[in-house]
């Protein structure tokens, strides 16, 4: 087997990039949305397309696998004698597009503008899929490690069947190193390793004050309506500064990074005059402290609403929980808070939708040093920073539990202008090439770490 040098790998990636981009665009044109109510035949097409790409990249054992949900793609190539095995994870499903009028171009027809490729899934996470394939193509027959590729098909819909799939195929996917390409970098030109992610607790709470709607003139002033009751209960979740007021939730310290407020305001799209909520450093508010959001409310629409007191109202809540906390404990704490603070003796009912554990990655040791060297070389001397992420990838905790000896690297292609999950999602094409170079260099360096171990 030929051992490729750093310069040979760089040249190979650059040679492959036109084909990699073309295949990325083909994937983006497939609207593979795993959410209920969408045509899931597109998810099937997406999985088949990914499987074909893996076969074309030299993976001999490729098949679609499922456990009651949408299809994932599992591919395996054995390790050379004495070499480690690396699991490469990404997902091929995408978020719904939302309001199409907010898109400047067709979300499923990729379009380049100012060095960025626009379209749903260009970054999250079809570029992650293609970064893996780019690295495989760069090595060709000279891949120095074994690889397992696990390309999920319902990550955006909550990965409901993922844990069952991982446990069913545990022996096949067992690896020394796990690369999860579903995060991002600190900025364009500044790579990062994600070392902490918040967990998630989603649920609903409903308040009821009446058996049925009643005349607002005849009973208003003495009988509470459900919407005001719900509003007062929602208001107990934060104090006047906007910090979470639910007692007992854990907060921790964050990485020593400075998040400039003007940059964050622009990235968030905050309108003039809107103030930040909470206290402390921005990176702590975003990465290592709990955050509570109200995602929706069930109540009568304003148009056509009668003059009647509303008997029942319902809200959906989402808690992003800090690394070090427990999802079940946070849910129990939320239930206790809501029951304790519901006003005027109203009946409150809380139901759970989703639990996802936070994670902290101890990014020390030879594999992580190899990753940092690979990133530094790919970004022409710019060393990666360790960063947290306010979002959640709950299955990382599952990987940690199932494969406690594996080094887990959370990487990705996103940057602050990507707008993943929103209108006009995009991929910075220059950064994408660096990500592909970094992954190829990483695989080469992981093989060398095994040689010296």
């Amino acid at each position: 087997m030929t051992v490729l040098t750093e310069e040979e790998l760089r040249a190979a990636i650059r040679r492959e990039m036109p084909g990699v981009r073309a295949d990325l665009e083909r994937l983006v044109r497939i609207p593979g949305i795993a959410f209920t109510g969408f045509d899931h035949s597109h998810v099937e097409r997406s999985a088949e397309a990914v499987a074909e790409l893996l076969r074309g990249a030299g993976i001999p054992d490729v098949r679609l696998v499922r456990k009651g949900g949408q299809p994932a793609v599992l591919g395996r190539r054995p390790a050379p004698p004495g070499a480690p095995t690396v699991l490469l994870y990404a997902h091929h499903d995408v978020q719904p597009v939302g309001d199409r009028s907010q898109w400047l171009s067709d979300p499923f027809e990729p379009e380049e503008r100012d060095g960025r490729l626009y379209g749903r899934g260009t970054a999250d996470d079809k570029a992650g899929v293609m970064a893996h394939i780019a690295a495989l193509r760069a090595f060709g027959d000279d891949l120095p490690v074994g690889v397992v590729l696990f390309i999920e098909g319902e990550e955006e819909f909550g990965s409901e069947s993922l844990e069952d799939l991982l446990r069913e195929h545990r022996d096949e996917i067992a690896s020394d190193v796990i690369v999860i390409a579903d995060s991002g970098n600190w900025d364009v030109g500044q790579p990062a390793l994600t070392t902490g992610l918040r967990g998630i607790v989603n649920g609903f709470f409903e308040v009821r004050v009446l058996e049925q709607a009643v005349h607002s003139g005849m009973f208003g002033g003495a009988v509470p309506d459900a919407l005001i009751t719900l509003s007062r209960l929602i208001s107990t979740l934060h104090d006047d500064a906007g910090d979470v007021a639910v007692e007992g939730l854990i907060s921790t310290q964050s990485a020593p990074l400075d998040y400039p407020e003007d940059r964050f305001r622009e990235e968030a799209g905050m309108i003039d005059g809107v103030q930040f909520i909470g206290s402390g450093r921005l990176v702590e508010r975003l990465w290592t402290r709990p955050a509570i959001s109200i995602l929706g409310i069930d109540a009568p629409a304003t148009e056509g609403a009668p003059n009647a007191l509303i008997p029942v109202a319902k809200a959906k809540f989402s808690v992003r929980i800090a690394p070090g906390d427990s999802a079940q404990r946070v849910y129990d704490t939320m239930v206790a808070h809501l029951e304790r603070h519901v006003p005027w003796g109203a009946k409150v009912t809380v139901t759970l939708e989703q639990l996802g554990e936070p994670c902290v990655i101890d990014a020390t040791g030879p594999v992580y040093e190899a990753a940092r060297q690979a990133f530094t070389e790919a970004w022409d001397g710019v060393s990666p920073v360790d960063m947290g992420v306010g979002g959640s990838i709950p299955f990382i905790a599952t990987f940690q539990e199932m494969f406690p000896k594996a080094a887990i690297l959370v990487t990705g292609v996103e940057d602050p202008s990507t707008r993943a999950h929103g209108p006009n999602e995009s991929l910075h094409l220059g950064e994408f090439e660096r990500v592909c170079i970094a992954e190829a260099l990483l695989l080469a360096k992981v093989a060398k770490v095994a040689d010296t171990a």
Side-chain angles (χ1 to χ4, degrees):
M1 181 180 66
T2 302
V3 178
L4 299 180
T5 66
E6 176 190 337
E7 286 308 313
E8 287 172 331
L9 284 174
R10 284 177 176 271
I13 288 291
R14 289 171 178 149
R15 181 184 67 241
E16 296 292 343
M17 286 311 294
V20 168
R21 173 174 169 177
D23 287 328
L24 172 60
E25 292 184 1
R26 279 191 279 274
L27 289 181
V28 171
R29 292 188 180 99
I30 303 174
I33 301 169
F35 282 62
T36 302
F38 288 85
D39 184 353
H40 291 163
S41 68
H42 297 305
V43 187
E44 300 281 346
R45 286 201 302 127
S46 179
E48 292 286 0
V50 170
E52 190 60 32
L53 288 169
L54 294 186
R55 295 185 186 102
I59 305 300
D61 177 9
V62 179
R63 65 190 189 279
L64 271 56
V65 295
R66 70 175 79 220
K67 197 73 173 175
Q70 300 304 319
V73 185
L74 177 61
R76 299 172 67 242
R77 177 168 167 172
T85 296
V86 181
L87 171 63
L88 304 175
Y89 169 93
H91 63 87
H92 65 89
D93 67 306
V94 298
Q95 280 280 322
V97 300
D99 184 354
R100 282 185 178 247
S101 69
Q102 298 300 306
W103 288 78
L104 299 179
S105 56
D106 186 336
F108 294 113
E109 183 53 50
E111 179 178 296
E112 181 179 351
R113 299 194 298 271
D114 299 322
R116 302 188 71 96
L117 188 65
Y118 286 81
R120 176 58 88 220
T122 51
D124 185 15
D125 186 31
K126 292 179 178 180
V129 176
M130 291 309 304
H132 296 328
I133 290 172
L136 296 176
R137 289 177 179 175
F139 283 104
D141 293 333
D142 297 315
L143 187 64
V145 296
V147 292
V148 177
L149 291 107
F150 192 94
I151 312 299
E152 191 187 354
E154 56 181 17
E155 191 275 343
E156 299 292 8
F157 190 53
S159 299
E160 290 186 359
S161 67
L162 179 61
E163 183 169 345
D164 289 340
L165 271 174
L166 294 178
R167 296 192 184 282
E168 180 174 320
H169 299 279
R170 179 173 187 154
D171 292 342
E172 296 175 271
I173 64 178
S175 302
D176 304 289
V177 179
I178 300 172
V179 179
I180 298 174
D182 193 21
S183 186
N185 292 301
W186 180 238
D187 202 353
V188 172
Q190 175 62 74
L193 286 173
T194 297
T195 57
L197 298 102
R198 290 193 292 194
I200 189 169
V201 175
N202 279 6
F204 306 88
F205 57 96
E206 179 183 274
V207 296
R208 178 173 288 277
V209 293
L210 293 162
E211 295 294 335
Q212 60 190 14
V214 296
H215 194 294
S216 61
M218 299 293 289
F219 297 96
V223 176
D225 69 76
L227 271 176
I228 289 179
T229 305
L230 182 70
S231 299
R232 288 178 66 92
L233 183 53
I234 290 172
S235 72
T236 69
L237 299 175
H238 297 85
D239 63 21
D240 290 343
D243 284 308
V244 169
V246 177
E247 295 182 3
L249 303 187
I250 289 175
S251 296
T252 59
Q253 293 185 335
S254 183
L257 288 173
D258 178 38
Y259 208 143
E261 290 190 0
D262 55 349
R263 170 185 152 182
F264 180 72
R265 293 185 71 90
E266 180 179 357
E267 291 168 8
M270 295 175 69
I271 64 175
D272 290 343
V274 174
Q275 301 174 4
F276 291 120
I277 62 171
S279 57
R281 299 166 57 224
L282 271 180
V283 291
E284 291 175 343
R285 280 180 264 179
L286 297 170
W287 299 345
T288 60
R289 293 183 181 179
I292 300 178
S293 303
I294 299 299
L295 305 181
I297 292 177
D298 289 341
T302 56
E303 184 175 354
N307 286 322
L309 301 182
I310 305 304
V312 62
K314 182 179 181 180
K316 180 176 182 178
F317 69 88
S318 180
V319 187
R320 299 289 179 162
I321 66 178
D325 216 333
S326 157
Q328 183 63 54
R329 195 191 72 81
V330 169
Y331 176 69
D332 294 340
T333 302
M334 280 291 293
V335 172
H337 175 94
L338 293 167
E339 290 177 344
R340 187 167 59 250
H341 288 84
V342 64
W344 304 319
K347 179 182 178 182
V348 61
T349 303
V350 188
T351 54
L352 175 66
E353 181 190 56
Q354 177 189 8
L355 295 178
E357 298 297 339
C359 77
V360 177
I361 296 171
D362 178 12
T364 59
V367 171
Y368 295 100
E369 290 310 308
R372 291 187 174 94
Q373 291 172 13
F375 276 59
T376 301
E377 292 168 9
W379 268 264
D380 299 321
V382 180
S383 299
V385 298
D386 290 357
M387 73 176 196
V389 170
S392 307
I393 309 180
F395 62 79
I396 295 178
T398 303
F399 277 115
Q400 290 176 315
E401 181 260 317
M402 291 179 61
F403 307 110
K405 294 183 179 180
I408 299 178
L409 301 166
V410 183
T411 68
V413 302
E414 297 178 23
D415 65 80
S417 298
T418 290
R419 296 184 178 178
H421 292 207
N424 303 303
E425 177 183 346
S426 68
L427 171 71
H428 190 289
L429 292 169
E431 291 294 278
F432 180 46
E433 181 174 309
R434 293 186 185 99
V435 168
C436 296
I437 292 172
E439 182 157 318
L441 294 175
L442 170 63
L443 296 181
K445 292 178 185 298
V446 166
K448 291 181 181 179
V449 167
D451 288 339
T452 59

